[in-house]
Amino acid sequence: MKGICTLILAALLVLQPAAANVVWAREVRLEMGDEDGSRMKAVAAAAEAAGAQVQGGPDAAVSAPGQAAAVGTPGPDAGDAIMADTSGQEPGAAAMAGTPGPDAGDAIMADTSGQEPGAAAMTGTPGPDAGDAVMADTSGQEPGDAVMAAAPAAAVEVQAPSALLMEASTGQVIYEKDADQKRSPASITKIMTLILIFDALESGKIKMTDEVVTSAYAKSMGGSQVFLEEGEKQTVETLIKCIIIASGNDASVTMAEYIGGTEQEFVRMMNERAAGLGMTNTHFVDCCGLTDSPDHVTTARDIAIMSRELINRYPQIHNYSTIWMENITHVTKQGTKEFGLSNTNKLLKMATNFTVTGLKTGSTSLAKYCLSATAEKDGVRLIAVVMAAPDFKARFADAQTMLNYGYANCRLYEDKEMLPLPQMAVTGGVADQVPLYYEGSFSYLSLSGEDLDQVEKNLVLEESLPAPVTKGQAAGVITYTLGGKKLGEVRVLAAADVEEAGYMDYLKKLAGAWLGTAGWLPQASD
């Protein structure tokens, strides 16, 4: 079918008047998701074979989704093609060779076989002194592991071969299908790129207002791009928009070089960060997902893990991932011109029963159609991951199916007012007490409709701690139960070190106690 479409398009190009018998490959995108440019190359080659002139040749750069397709010789406002109705294209993408009817490009939704049962997990959220999120005590599983829940096997039907639905605050897996199969992620890769960018912002290494210079190498990136020129300067914030909205490969490499020095070093940092998150089935080769290397792989589960890290640690990402369209300004030696960014995430404009908050699309001929979608409703945030969907409509339909299932079945309990903690007595220490803190806050995701208003909590502390006491030392737990069933717990920890008292410390204590009893304590002078 794609071959027939290619020949038809090529024929239409040749039938243009002689003065307009030029295809500006740099401004054309045949089909959404052509991030590696393979479809554009096929069109260009067919057009040349049919006698049309292709500016830039078959290997010319292909615009990001949302770029207008221009057939003919562009004028001063090149790229301002007539926009077709969008049922068969990426949001904002321009029509090629006529305006499709209301059903143009509609995909037939395939029925699917049974899926894996849903899954559940409980985690804590880090407190002020805590590091990574801590799993509430279920059955000794590792952080991020799931406890299987009794979801109907056919409760969710998706076309994609790999998919996963996760609740963001707990990390609980609600549904999964072949979620650990390694696959090419295409531009979903950029989620990790964005994590490292925001890491660098958080650490103070870079600032949003920094101006970053585009290298010749970054400019040379094909696939989806925003057409940065060598030597062009853009701020970090603008480049973030180019990455998250328009999936710019050139913008991704520009930021990778700015933070890591080289893309290779940045990719090493990506793999190191992935390992730290427990993404055991992930290996990155580039920073944008354009590569066709068989070594550039991840899984639906690992995509959910890094998506969760991005939206939990840096929720400000939603300020950018929810932008539908926005212009940036190119300032180069050739002058100044506006360039329109159009979001590749069609879910943002689809009618839903929830609020879509992001996050990232990806597609190449190798990866097919991928998506990490984030949404929110009634305080519940879900992440739906789709990998290798057969077409772009299927990836959005699959994500919506999973999100609808999640919001129909999930209820979230969050302890936003944890019990106050007393000072803990210390025996044999230089101090008699030590302050306490919770290792994290507590969340529980219910899939069975329990009345979460009936959750009970019980604080159990040690009577005292013997010195020496180390900061972070366990001092007790707060447990959560519902109907006699333990939901989980969060540990209570010592908030400071307390050294063991020596001989002189005891003398000072005795002297202080005796002087205080005798009323001989020194009085403050005026």
Side-chain angles (χ1 to χ4, degrees), residues 1-288:
M1 184 64 185
K2 289 181 180 177
I4 294 173
C5 292
T6 300
L7 292 175
I8 291 173
L9 178 59
L12 288 169
L13 297 176
V14 173
L15 290 175
Q16 296 291 320
N21 196 24
V22 177
V23 181
W24 289 82
R26 180 183 171 105
E27 299 295 329
V28 174
R29 189 179 186 86
L30 171 62
E31 179 182 6
M32 62 163 294
D34 189 20
E35 295 181 14
D36 59 356
S38 59
R39 295 178 181 85
M40 185 58 241
K41 292 176 184 177
V43 173
E48 284 189 327
Q53 177 187 356
V54 180
Q55 291 292 339
D59 293 325
V62 183
S63 71
Q67 263 307 104
V71 178
T73 304
D77 296 317
D80 291 342
I82 298 174
M83 301 300 290
D85 200 14
T86 58
S87 56
Q89 303 193 94
E90 190 75 83
M96 296 185 63
T99 303
D103 295 320
D106 283 350
I108 298 174
M109 301 297 287
D111 197 8
T112 57
S113 57
Q115 285 80 22
E116 295 295 325
M122 294 173 290
T123 72
T125 304
D129 295 310
D132 294 336
V134 180
M135 293 296 295
D137 185 15
T138 52
S139 55
Q141 76 257 30
E142 292 297 320
D145 284 352
V147 179
M148 300 306 294
V156 183
E157 293 186 358
V158 298
Q159 296 183 73
S162 292
L164 184 139
L165 180 65
M166 175 185 285
E167 197 281 318
S169 67
T170 62
Q172 180 172 334
V173 176
I174 301 165
Y175 166 82
E176 63 180 271
K177 176 184 178 183
D178 203 10
D180 296 310
Q181 176 63 45
K182 294 181 180 180
R183 300 182 186 276
S184 174
S187 283
I188 302 293
T189 300
K190 296 182 175 85
I191 293 174
M192 182 56 73
T193 298
L194 288 162
I195 289 174
L196 290 188
I197 291 172
F198 280 94
D199 282 349
L201 286 165
E202 183 181 58
S203 69
K205 181 177 181 178
I206 64 174
K207 300 188 298 294
M208 282 287 192
T209 54
D210 287 354
E211 290 191 332
V212 185
V213 179
T214 303
S215 69
Y217 174 66
K219 175 189 180 297
S220 72
M221 293 297 106
S224 59
Q225 56 187 301
V226 295
F227 301 110
L228 299 172
E229 294 292 339
E230 181 181 357
E232 179 179 346
K233 295 180 180 179
Q234 294 288 355
T235 65
V236 167
E237 184 171 33
T238 297
L239 291 171
I240 288 172
K241 292 177 181 179
C242 293
I243 295 168
I244 193 68
I245 300 172
S247 198
N249 296 323
D250 46 358
S252 298
V253 174
T254 298
M255 283 304 305
E257 292 178 331
Y258 187 58
I259 293 172
T262 64
E263 184 187 18
Q264 291 79 6
E265 173 59 18
F266 188 83
V267 170
R268 185 198 66 76
M269 295 165 62
M270 291 171 67
N271 286 316
E272 183 177 71
R273 191 72 159 84
L277 290 173
M279 296 168 59
T280 56
N281 289 313
T282 294
H283 179 73
F284 297 115
V285 173
D286 72 8
C287 69
C288 59

Side-chain angles (χ1 to χ4, degrees), residues 360-391:
K360 191 70 196 73
T361 62
S363 56
T364 62
S365 56
L366 175 64
K368 297 185 181 178
Y369 294 87
C370 305
L371 174 67
S372 178
T374 57
E376 188 275 336
K377 182 180 180 181
D378 298 330
V380 179
R381 296 175 301 127
L382 298 181
I383 302 166
V385 178
V386 177
M387 294 194 77
D391 57 67

Side-chain angles (χ1 to χ4, degrees), residues 32 38 42 76 130 133 169 208 225 230 256 307 335 340 360 391 405 418 421 438-439 459 467 471 483 514:
M32 62 163 294
S38 59
S169 67
M208 282 287 192
Q225 56 187 301
E230 181 181 357
S307 299
K360 191 70 196 73
D391 57 67
Y405 173 80
M418 300 182 77
L421 293 171
Y438 289 110
E439 187 175 28
L459 181 61
K471 181 179 178 179
W514 183 70

Side-chain angles (χ1 to χ4, degrees), residues 216-508:
Y217 174 66
K219 175 189 180 297
S220 72
M221 293 297 106
S224 59
Q225 56 187 301
V226 295
F227 301 110
L228 299 172
E229 294 292 339
E230 181 181 357
E232 179 179 346
K233 295 180 180 179
Q234 294 288 355
T235 65
V236 167
E237 184 171 33
T238 297
L239 291 171
I240 288 172
K241 292 177 181 179
C242 293
I243 295 168
I244 193 68
I245 300 172
S247 198
N249 296 323
D250 46 358
S252 298
V253 174
T254 298
M255 283 304 305
E257 292 178 331
Y258 187 58
I259 293 172
T262 64
E263 184 187 18
Q264 291 79 6
E265 173 59 18
F266 188 83
V267 170
R268 185 198 66 76
M269 295 165 62
M270 291 171 67
N271 286 316
E272 183 177 71
R273 191 72 159 84
L277 290 173
M279 296 168 59
T280 56
N281 289 313
T282 294
H283 179 73
F284 297 115
V285 173
D286 72 8
C287 69
C288 59
L290 186 61
T291 179
D292 58 2
S293 169
D295 296 327
H296 188 88
V297 292
T298 187
T299 66
R301 191 181 312 280
D302 283 359
I303 289 173
I305 290 172
M306 69 175 175
S307 299
R308 181 184 179 222
E309 172 72 0
L310 179 59
I311 67 174
N312 281 353
R313 191 177 184 93
Y314 305 114
Q316 62 267 38
I317 189 63
H318 294 310
N319 297 335
Y320 306 103
S321 62
T322 53
I323 295 173
W324 180 242
M325 298 183 76
E326 184 167 315
N327 286 346
I328 65 169
T329 302
H330 288 298
V331 180
T332 66
K333 294 179 181 178
Q334 288 73 39
T336 300
K337 63 178 179 178
E338 295 288 303
F339 181 86
L341 306 178
S342 183
N343 205 307
T344 59
N345 185 3
K346 192 173 182 180
L347 273 182
L348 287 168
K349 287 297 182 181
M350 292 176 68
T352 62
N353 294 315
F354 44 81
T355 300
V356 178
T357 58
L359 183 65
K360 191 70 196 73
T361 62
S363 56
T364 62
S365 56
L366 175 64
K368 297 185 181 178
Y369 294 87
C370 305
L371 174 67
S372 178
T374 57
E376 188 275 336
K377 182 180 180 181
D378 298 330
V380 179
R381 296 175 301 127
L382 298 181
I383 302 166
V385 178
V386 177
M387 294 194 77
D391 57 67
F392 74 94
K393 288 204 167 202
R395 70 174 165 186
F396 295 123
D398 285 350
Q400 192 167 18
T401 295
M402 287 189 286
L403 291 169
N404 281 335
Y405 173 80
Y407 285 118
N409 293 277
C410 296
R411 297 294 181 272
L412 182 67
Y413 170 83
E414 294 181 285
D415 187 1
K416 296 182 178 179
E417 295 183 3
M418 300 182 77
L419 298 175
L421 293 171
Q423 296 271 321
M424 170 65 69
V426 176
T427 59
V430 294
D432 294 327
Q433 293 181 321
V434 65
L436 303 174
Y437 72 95
Y438 289 110
E439 187 175 28
S441 61
F442 181 79
S443 299
Y444 169 73
L445 191 69
S446 168
L447 298 176
S448 53
E450 300 112 317
D451 182 2
L452 298 181
D453 289 336
Q454 302 304 312
V455 172
E456 297 179 353
K457 46 191 175 183
N458 183 36
L459 181 61
V460 181
L461 298 175
E462 300 287 346
E463 290 187 6
S464 63
L465 292 177
V469 176
T470 304
K471 181 179 178 179
Q473 182 176 328
V477 295
I478 181 171
T479 60
Y480 297 82
T481 58
L482 179 60
K485 172 189 172 184
K486 182 179 176 181
L487 302 180
E489 64 181 34
V490 175
R491 295 197 303 166
V492 177
L493 309 176
D497 295 331
V498 179
E499 295 180 2
E500 188 174 6
Y503 178 73
M504 292 302 297
D505 295 310
Y506 283 115
L507 285 179
K508 289 178 182 178

